[in-house]
Amino acid sequence: MGMIALDCDNHFATWRGQARTLLGHGIDPAEVTWSQGPMDDLLAVPTPLPEGPGPFRARVPPELLNQLERAARYRGEQRWNLLYEVLWRVAHGDRTAMLAGDRLGSELHRRIKQVNREAHHLHAFLRFVPLPEALAHELQLDLVAYHEPAHDILESASAHFADRLGRQRWMIATPQDGIRFDGQHFDYQRCCPSTWQQWARHANDPDAELWRTYYRHTFNPARLNPEALRLHMPGRFWRHLPEGMLIPQLEGLARQGKQRDGQALEVAEQRGKKISHAAGK
């Protein structure tokens, strides 16, 4: 008998229901796999889940469900299989699978860390573009943005902007999903509408040159550390930032000896202002 091949459509709630049924019927993690695209495992056969909840009743700590839900946002190989392996071990009394010191637990926590970091990138590098008044009235939106996250963090991390932007209406589009906020309610779409992507990708940012001017004048060649720069601002985000196109140019100037100025060239060439000393001081 081959392995049971399942598809949860990369949806945690669907996977959770499947995993509960598998667990209840005592199906070992080695006997099941979740497809992520075309099934290339010749031993895996599309088999329906057993009917009913099954005789086994597992007690699963709420902390584990929270960990599994967060780790489920990670895009990568064995995305769902790993979660079921951890669930299986904990459900059978081995809670070390939840800990970072365990082989599976270590990978679980690594994925959670990557997901949290990607949420931070969304908050740090997303740039909303204000729409012209007429277009804003037509679309019932004030701000739009386009972002390309490495993991599925948009739905869980977007409430941050509602807190920051108050009643403003905004929309974020990605190649996969999208979310819209009308000032009161969220509209999350797992498959981002093409119109949302078009609005976000082709919006004309009236403040783009202001961003570039600010970045040029605050860039300090003497303190340039390319490795640290890419660590904190990965290059995959540059093309969606107004100042991103300047980074390679400014790095090149720094490598050509401009570091001696200790500041941007435009600032270094400005004449200082004379300050007279008051008499007796």
Side-chain angles (χ1 to χ4, degrees), residues 11 38 41 55 64 84 150 157-158 169 193 207 213 225 233 261 267 278:
H11 196 234
D41 189 336
L64 174 63
Y84 185 59
S158 294
R169 302 163 301 177
D207 299 321
T213 300
N225 185 330
M233 183 189 287
D261 293 329
V267 177

Short mmCIF file of all heavy atoms in Angstrom, two decimals, residues 11 38 41 55 64 84 150 157-158 169 193 207 213 225 233 261 267 278:
data_model
loop_
_atom_site.label_atom_id
_atom_site.label_comp_id
_atom_site.label_asym_id
_atom_site.label_seq_id
_atom_site.Cartn_x
_atom_site.Cartn_y
_atom_site.Cartn_z
N HIS A 11 -3.87 25.70 3.41
CA HIS A 11 -4.78 26.38 4.34
C HIS A 11 -4.72 25.65 5.68
O HIS A 11 -5.00 24.44 5.75
CB HIS A 11 -6.20 26.36 3.77
CG HIS A 11 -7.11 27.34 4.43
ND1 HIS A 11 -8.32 26.98 4.98
CD2 HIS A 11 -6.98 28.68 4.65
CE1 HIS A 11 -8.91 28.04 5.50
NE2 HIS A 11 -8.13 29.07 5.33
N PRO A 38 2.55 19.48 -8.26
CA PRO A 38 2.37 18.16 -8.87
C PRO A 38 2.97 17.06 -8.00
O PRO A 38 4.07 17.20 -7.48
CB PRO A 38 3.13 18.30 -10.20
CG PRO A 38 3.16 19.76 -10.48
CD PRO A 38 3.24 20.43 -9.14
N ASP A 41 5.80 11.79 -6.03
CA ASP A 41 6.09 10.59 -5.26
C ASP A 41 5.29 9.43 -5.85
O ASP A 41 4.06 9.38 -5.74
CB ASP A 41 5.73 10.81 -3.79
CG ASP A 41 6.22 9.67 -2.89
OD1 ASP A 41 6.41 8.56 -3.41
OD2 ASP A 41 6.39 9.93 -1.68
N PRO A 55 -10.97 6.23 16.74
CA PRO A 55 -11.04 5.87 18.16
C PRO A 55 -10.05 6.60 19.06
O PRO A 55 -10.28 6.72 20.26
CB PRO A 55 -10.74 4.37 18.14
CG PRO A 55 -9.88 4.17 16.92
CD PRO A 55 -10.38 5.16 15.91
N LEU A 64 0.88 24.24 21.60
CA LEU A 64 1.30 23.56 20.38
C LEU A 64 0.48 24.03 19.19
O LEU A 64 1.04 24.27 18.11
CB LEU A 64 1.15 22.04 20.54
CG LEU A 64 1.44 21.24 19.26
CD1 LEU A 64 2.89 21.42 18.82
CD2 LEU A 64 1.10 19.76 19.46
N TYR A 84 2.66 17.68 11.02
CA TYR A 84 1.98 16.46 11.46
C TYR A 84 2.93 15.57 12.27
O TYR A 84 2.50 14.91 13.23
CB TYR A 84 1.43 15.69 10.25
CG TYR A 84 0.61 14.48 10.67
CD1 TYR A 84 -0.51 14.63 11.47
CD2 TYR A 84 0.96 13.20 10.25
CE1 TYR A 84 -1.27 13.54 11.87
CE2 TYR A 84 0.21 12.10 10.64
CZ TYR A 84 -0.90 12.27 11.45
OH TYR A 84 -1.65 11.18 11.84
N ALA A 150 8.10 36.50 1.53
CA ALA A 150 8.62 35.16 1.30
C ALA A 150 7.73 34.10 1.95
O ALA A 150 7.84 32.92 1.61
CB ALA A 150 10.05 35.05 1.82
N ALA A 157 -0.32 39.78 9.72
CA ALA A 157 0.53 40.92 10.08
C ALA A 157 -0.03 42.27 9.67
O ALA A 157 0.53 43.31 10.03
CB ALA A 157 1.93 40.75 9.46
N SER A 158 -1.13 42.30 8.93
CA SER A 158 -1.63 43.56 8.38
C SER A 158 -2.39 44.42 9.37
O SER A 158 -2.58 45.62 9.13
CB SER A 158 -2.52 43.28 7.16
OG SER A 158 -1.77 42.74 6.11
N ARG A 169 -8.37 54.34 4.32
CA ARG A 169 -8.70 53.12 3.57
C ARG A 169 -7.48 52.71 2.75
O ARG A 169 -6.95 53.52 2.00
CB ARG A 169 -9.90 53.39 2.67
CG ARG A 169 -11.14 53.87 3.41
CD ARG A 169 -12.15 54.49 2.46
NE ARG A 169 -11.57 55.64 1.76
CZ ARG A 169 -12.20 56.36 0.83
NH1 ARG A 169 -13.43 56.03 0.48
NH2 ARG A 169 -11.60 57.38 0.25
N PRO A 193 -7.06 39.57 -6.30
CA PRO A 193 -7.67 39.96 -7.57
C PRO A 193 -6.66 40.69 -8.46
O PRO A 193 -5.85 41.48 -7.98
CB PRO A 193 -8.82 40.88 -7.15
CG PRO A 193 -9.12 40.49 -5.73
CD PRO A 193 -7.80 40.09 -5.14
N ASP A 207 5.53 61.09 -3.79
CA ASP A 207 6.58 61.38 -2.82
C ASP A 207 7.87 60.61 -3.09
O ASP A 207 8.79 60.62 -2.27
CB ASP A 207 6.10 61.05 -1.40
CG ASP A 207 4.89 61.88 -1.00
OD1 ASP A 207 4.86 63.07 -1.36
OD2 ASP A 207 4.00 61.34 -0.33
N THR A 213 15.62 61.85 -2.24
CA THR A 213 16.43 62.98 -1.75
C THR A 213 16.83 62.78 -0.30
O THR A 213 17.99 63.00 0.09
CB THR A 213 15.63 64.29 -1.89
OG1 THR A 213 15.31 64.50 -3.27
CG2 THR A 213 16.44 65.48 -1.38
N ASN A 225 28.35 49.32 5.43
CA ASN A 225 28.65 47.92 5.67
C ASN A 225 27.69 47.11 4.80
O ASN A 225 26.55 46.85 5.20
CB ASN A 225 28.47 47.56 7.15
CG ASN A 225 28.89 46.13 7.45
OD1 ASN A 225 28.80 45.24 6.60
ND2 ASN A 225 29.35 45.90 8.68
N MET A 233 18.14 44.87 5.25
CA MET A 233 17.27 45.27 4.14
C MET A 233 17.59 44.38 2.94
O MET A 233 18.37 44.76 2.06
CB MET A 233 17.49 46.75 3.77
CG MET A 233 16.56 47.24 2.65
SD MET A 233 16.98 48.89 2.03
CE MET A 233 16.45 49.91 3.39
N ASP A 261 34.69 61.43 2.92
CA ASP A 261 33.86 62.59 3.27
C ASP A 261 33.07 62.34 4.55
O ASP A 261 32.73 63.29 5.25
CB ASP A 261 32.89 62.91 2.14
CG ASP A 261 33.61 63.41 0.90
OD1 ASP A 261 34.67 64.04 1.07
OD2 ASP A 261 33.13 63.15 -0.21
N VAL A 267 26.12 67.00 0.77
CA VAL A 267 26.28 67.63 2.07
C VAL A 267 27.71 68.08 2.27
O VAL A 267 27.98 69.17 2.79
CB VAL A 267 25.84 66.66 3.20
CG1 VAL A 267 26.08 67.29 4.56
CG2 VAL A 267 24.38 66.28 3.03
N ALA A 278 30.05 86.25 20.59
CA ALA A 278 29.68 87.47 21.30
C ALA A 278 30.86 87.98 22.11
O ALA A 278 31.68 87.20 22.60
CB ALA A 278 28.49 87.19 22.22
#
